[in-house]
Amino acid sequence: MAILEEPIKEQLHLKNYIDGEWVESEGERKDVVNPANGKTIATVPISTEDEINEAVEAAKDAYHDWRRTPPLARVRCLFRLKELLEEHFEEVSRIQTMEHGKTIDESRGETRRGIEMVEVATGIPSLMMGYNLEDIATGIDEYLIRQPLGVFGIIAPFNFPFMVPLWFAPFAVATGNCIVLKPSSEDPISQVKILELAEEAGIPPGVWNIVHGGRTVVSGMLDHPDIKGVCFVGSTPVGRDVIYKRCGETGKRVIAMCGAKNFALVMPDANLDRTIAACMTSFYGNTGQRCLANANLVVVGEGLSEQEYDAFYKKVVDAFVAAAKKIRMGYGLDDTVHMGPIRDKKKKQNVLNYIEKGIAAGATLTLDGRQFEIVGDLPDTCFIGPTVFEDVTLDMAIARDEIFGPVANMMRARNLAEAIDMIHDVPFGNAASLFTQNGKWAREFQYNVQCGNIGINTGIAAPMAFFPFSGMKDSFFGTLHGQGREAIRFFTESKVVIQRWF
Ligand code: NAD
């Protein structure tokens, strides 16, 4: 066991970044704790209403010049930022592991995905182009131009502290908008690092601001008349009842990407080795704290006799449990570890409560994550091992609610249609996976399932930066999604010009 060198050696005192300056907040301070060893690695301010207002003012002022900066000049800053992120790739990855708890491999994957957003946004000079038609009537031409809107707010969750704000920030800035970003106060350090690099990359003061904090900052954004739109990623109650509702009332554009309860369906012809390997990263990757994580595994008995189906179910579950037992848990900076801790004690308690609920509802606890070993000498405050429930039915809370931890439910469906109905029975529609070698089943699945991100023989249906990150039902509130061309439409207004000359 070798722990990689920690990039954070002394406790950091985080500040807001407003108008190109790192400024002290008047607000109270909160500890940022490394969940693997319980050490406080930073303190972060819970900023005040005046501070969010100040940041919006700075962004509004900066907008005047930034929108007039040619797109090619704007993206030169992003090219430079991409280079700097590559240079600091390992450092920012290790920071994520320290602030969040995920393994170093997971952090490196997150860094790569985040950098890809910057890469795609550098294509703005082409991607932002409008279109035209000559002679819509004799001698009259019509064309569409896309223009930025002003200031956008970005509100981020804890589970991908580096990547999620980058689903929006590079697209917003490249299209000529200015932003005020509120990272999760639970793990805000990697966003601070990005801003240090953005400053070095030449992003002008006021264009990309950070205001740390919680509800006060969010309310300040939602109520501010100069914020034109809000991008939120987080839980459904906050996304739907606070963000989407308030943006409707105040007439702001909104992308609210929310919670999930995703299903993986395993068909009788699936390649079992590959399916189980994909399921391990899907169900237990990021310690289950992923909006694309699968949580319910349905073994589908399409075309099998009762006897064959029982045998197939047993084979899948035995293989799943055997693989889950091999997962090594510990500090994510130990690169032999497969799974890190849950982000904090409160979240761990929430997962433990769900395990109790599952038992009380009559599910069978086949693998008990409450009994685990940790690699290395660490306090066990935030750890919880891979958990497997069987005999789970759709009326149980463990099957319907987002647990956001390493808990897998084994379920059964006699055929594909029944399994798809099960997916539709839960209120969420973020992602769903099918494991099969049958193209007809795959098409039927893709055609019918009411989920925004579909995986065929993949466990984590994460769209690349040049595709929208979709989501349906209680997993998404809004119209246009983050990433790719939809983000460009979200961050721009379409103006149509009809022109004739006498
Ligand atoms: P959360 O809803 O608790 O917090 C998200 C953000 O909102 C944070 O910045 C937080 O400070 C702020 N916030 C929290 N409560 C608030 C309130 N009452 N009023 C105003 N602001 C508030 O979510 P989280 O626990 O940080 O993140 C996990 C959730 O995010 C999960 O539900 C997960 O599925 C979801 N998520 C969704 C996607 C997606 O693409 N759909 C991606 C990542 C995470």
Side-chain angles (χ1 to χ4, degrees), residues 396-470:
M396 296 180 186
I398 54 168
R400 310 186 69 78
D401 298 355
E402 181 177 48
I403 300 177
F404 231 48
V407 180
N409 298 315
M410 302 293 125
M411 302 170 90
R412 297 168 69 118
R414 210 56 194 85
N415 55 46
L416 182 57
E418 186 186 324
I420 292 174
D421 284 346
M422 289 167 73
I423 297 176
H424 292 164
D425 203 276
V426 303
F428 301 103
N430 214 36
S433 296
L434 181 78
F435 292 91
T436 185
Q437 304 196 53
N438 179 319
K440 181 173 176 294
W441 285 339
R443 186 175 188 281
E444 199 177 320
F445 181 76
Q446 165 213 290
Y447 191 84
N448 289 314
V449 170
Q450 291 294 306
C451 289
N453 303 292
I454 301 291
I456 309 287
N457 294 314
T458 57
I460 308 160
M464 298 294 283
F466 28 90
F467 284 96
F469 195 119
S470 197

Side-chain angles (χ1 to χ4, degrees), residues 155-159 164 167 182-184 213-215 218 232-236 238 242 257-260 291 347 402 404 430 469 475:
I155 302 157
F158 81 91
N159 64 328
V164 165
W167 286 349
K182 189 199 88 60
S184 170
R215 290 175 195 198
V218 173
F232 167 88
V233 181
S235 59
T236 295
V238 180
V242 179
M257 302 167 70
C258 298
C291 69
K347 291 185 175 57
E402 181 177 48
F404 231 48
N430 214 36
F469 195 119
S475 296

Side-chain angles (χ1 to χ4, degrees), residues 21-84:
E21 303 283 342
W22 292 98
V23 288
E24 197 68 69
S25 163
E26 304 265 292
E28 285 173 19
R29 299 195 74 81
K30 183 180 158 188
D31 288 348
V32 179
V33 177
N34 179 339
N37 56 23
K39 288 187 188 149
T40 299
I41 51 176
T43 65
V44 62
I46 303 301
S47 304
T48 63
E49 203 179 327
D50 284 349
E51 287 159 350
I52 176 67
N53 290 340
E54 203 184 308
V56 178
E57 278 305 309
K60 193 182 161 196
D61 288 350
Y63 175 64
H64 180 270
D65 286 349
W66 187 240
R67 77 155 284 198
R68 286 169 177 77
T69 304
L72 205 57
R74 291 199 296 254
V75 300
R76 276 189 197 118
C77 299
L78 292 182
F79 274 112
R80 180 78 188 119
L81 174 62
K82 182 230 162 4
E83 279 168 27
L84 289 166

